[in-house]
């Protein structure tokens, strides 16, 4: 089956090196080792995705301080234009000018935006972001938002915090990264109450994270009514296991409830993310 992945990371080399260095010290940060399974040169990482059957993906970048988001967005737009399977992406940060560079990115064809509330340590309700959220809502451009407390709480994480953004911009197409981990039920509640909210599967239900943030036992049955708003995400290459482990987790959900099955797999692994990315 062809795959479309909305949560993949490609970044400028010096940025990715720093991200990997952070994960090298994961035992200190998170209390558990996090060996990067796909620590390879960029051409090899692209070849790996193609070998898995990925025909479309969103190369996400994110900023952790002012002044980063605009040039990272420029890099991501260029990368998305140069790699056939990639789509142009953007990121944002609460700073003067965010609406300007985000608007320019949308005009240049950005298909999806990354907002990392945890790493960025910013409040998504910041007034500097209000027009940016509104711009994305009006344009219908999805945003992958890491706003859950996993793997560790941030200064402004919490689905209740991000819901205040949704209340102000109810048309926003928001993909809750990691299905809101560890507040999976809270994330499902937002999906049911806001038409544009989706969940991505990034690191959800795999043995590595089940040890720290286990899914509800009835997870599969809870997905039946929202199967059109669950999308494949992986966190490739920054995962401590093989890519197929994520696919196996999703396949186990499909097999756990007769109402899911093959149609669910096709929707999650391809049709839903392809729709979000305009493929």
């Amino acid at each position: 089956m062809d795959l479309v992945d909305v949560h993949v990371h490609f970044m400028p080399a010096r940025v990715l090196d720093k991200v990997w260095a952070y994960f090298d010290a994961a035992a200190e940060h998170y209390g558990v080792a996090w060996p990067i399974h796909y620590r390879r040169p960029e051409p090899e990482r692209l070849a790996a995705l193609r070998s898995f059957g990925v025909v479309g993906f969103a190369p996400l970048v994110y900023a952790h301080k002012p002044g980063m988001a605009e040039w990272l967005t420029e890099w991501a737009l260029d990368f998305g234009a140069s790699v056939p399977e990639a789509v142009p992406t953007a990121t944002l940060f609460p700073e003067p000018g965010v609406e300007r560079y985000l608007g320019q990115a949308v005009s240049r064809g950005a298909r999806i935006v990354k907002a990392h509330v945890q790493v960025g340590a910013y409040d998504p309700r910041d007034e500097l972001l209000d027009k940016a959220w509104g711009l994305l809502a009006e344009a219908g451009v999805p945003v992958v938002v890491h706003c859950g407390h996993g793997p560790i709480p941030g200064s402004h994480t919490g689905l209740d915090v991000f819901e205040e953004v949704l209340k102000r911009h109810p048309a926003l197409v928001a993909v809750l990264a990691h299905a809101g981990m560890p507040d999976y039920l809270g994330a499902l509640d937002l999906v049911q109450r806001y038409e544009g909210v989706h969940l991505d599967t990034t690191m959800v239900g795999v043995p590595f994270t089940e040890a720290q943030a286990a899914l509800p036992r009835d997870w599969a049955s809870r997905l039946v009514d929202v199967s059109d708003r669950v999308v494949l995400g992986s966190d490739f290459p920054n995962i401590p296991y093989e890519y197929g482990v994520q696919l196996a987790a999703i396949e186990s959900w499909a097999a756990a409830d007769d109402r899911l099955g093959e149609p669910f797999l096709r929707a999650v692994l391809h049709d839903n993310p392809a729709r979000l990315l305009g493929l």
Side-chain angles (χ1 to χ4, degrees):
M1 181 184 298
D2 288 344
L3 308 176
V4 177
D5 192 332
V6 305
H7 196 139
V8 169
H9 294 293
F10 280 84
M11 303 176 182
R14 71 179 189 274
V15 177
L16 191 58
D17 284 345
K18 290 180 179 179
V19 171
W20 285 349
Y22 186 88
F23 282 118
D24 287 342
E28 174 187 343
H29 301 306
Y30 304 140
V32 60
W34 193 310
I36 303 297
H37 192 80
Y38 295 99
R39 190 191 297 255
R40 304 175 185 175
E42 185 176 284
E44 293 183 22
R45 281 180 271 128
L46 287 170
L49 283 177
R50 291 166 183 146
S51 75
F52 305 148
V54 175
V55 298
F57 69 90
L60 303 180
V61 296
Y62 51 86
H64 66 271
K65 61 183 179 181
M68 284 187 70
E70 184 170 5
W71 69 264
L72 279 173
T73 292
E74 290 288 328
W75 184 92
L77 290 170
D78 290 342
F79 184 90
S82 64
V83 176
E85 298 86 357
V87 301
T89 74
T91 190
L92 51 72
F93 196 85
E95 58 191 339
V98 59
E99 183 186 2
R100 172 189 54 76
Y101 65 71
L102 193 60
Q104 291 173 348
V106 170
S107 296
R108 288 180 57 187
R111 304 277 189 92
I112 198 164
V113 175
K114 172 70 173 187
H116 209 315
V117 172
Q118 184 204 39
V119 169
Y122 58 79
D123 191 332
R125 303 164 298 185
D126 192 307
E127 290 183 3
L128 287 167
L129 286 176
D130 191 56
K131 289 185 178 179
W133 296 129
L135 184 158
L136 295 176
E138 184 176 351
V141 174
V143 54
V144 176
V145 187
H146 186 139
C147 56
H149 290 313
I152 55 174
S155 303
H156 301 285
T157 55
L159 300 185
D160 56 333
V161 176
F162 188 69
E163 186 178 10
E164 293 188 37
V165 174
L166 292 171
K167 287 178 179 177
R168 186 163 176 81
H169 304 282
L172 187 66
V173 180
V175 181
L176 302 180
H178 310 279
M181 186 186 302
D183 189 7
Y184 303 116
L185 297 184
L188 283 171
D189 185 51
L190 292 183
V191 171
Q192 291 164 350
R193 288 192 287 118
Y194 295 91
E195 190 174 327
V197 173
H198 295 64
L199 308 180
D200 84 24
T201 66
T202 305
M203 300 192 75
V204 177
V206 301
F208 181 82
T209 44
E210 281 290 284
Q212 292 93 34
L215 288 169
R217 292 186 177 180
D218 61 347
W219 177 248
S221 64
R222 290 178 179 273
L223 297 180
V224 171
D225 292 334
V226 298
S227 61
D228 61 331
R229 283 191 278 154
V230 182
V231 298
L232 172 62
S234 67
D235 240 353
F236 176 92
N238 304 332
I239 45 177
Y241 45 78
E242 294 183 355
Y243 190 89
V245 172
Q246 184 67 73
L247 303 180
I250 300 167
E251 289 168 357
S252 74
W253 309 338
D257 194 297
D258 291 341
R259 295 168 293 177
L260 296 177
E262 187 68 22
F264 173 80
L265 281 179
R266 187 165 52 252
V268 173
L269 299 182
H270 182 274
D271 295 355
N272 296 344
R275 169 177 48 82
L276 279 186
L277 297 182
L279 297 177

